[in-house]
Amino acid sequence: MTFACINYDASGDCCRKLGGECIPGRRGCVLDGQVTLSNELRRRVEELEKKQGKSKD
Ligand code: SF4
C-alpha cells in the first residue's frame, strides 16, 4: 500500500500541518490512531516525543 498525504511538503521534506518532520502516525498526523505503526515508525515517534518533552522543560 502507498499513501500520499496532502500535507506533505516534498520540497522541504516536512509536514505543513504540523510544521515539522513528517513521521506518519505521530501525534496530530492525519494517520494518528488510524494505522498500526511499524517498529521503525514507532521508534521515530517516540524519539520525537522525547525531544518535544525535553524542549518544554
Ligand atoms: S506527518 Fe502525517 S499529516 Fe504530516 S505530512 Fe506526514 S503523513 Fe501527512
Side-chain angles (χ1 to χ4, degrees):
M1 183 183 109
T2 59
F3 171 76
C5 181
I6 58 170
N7 299 306
Y8 182 66
D9 176 359
S11 63
D13 188 28
C14 63
C15 174
R16 286 191 206 101
K17 181 176 189 282
L18 300 173
E21 191 175 358
C22 169
I23 305 175
R26 64 180 279 193
R27 198 179 311 265
C29 170
V30 294
L31 296 175
D32 185 13
Q34 305 297 312
V35 295
T36 301
L37 301 182
S38 67
N39 289 339
E40 171 63 13
L41 279 177
R42 196 171 318 127
R43 184 188 62 73
R44 291 179 62 196
V45 168
E46 286 169 4
E47 274 180 18
L48 177 71
E49 290 181 350
K50 266 190 214 162
K51 265 193 245 170
Q52 290 175 331
K54 283 182 185 169
S55 67
K56 287 179 191 166
D57 294 341

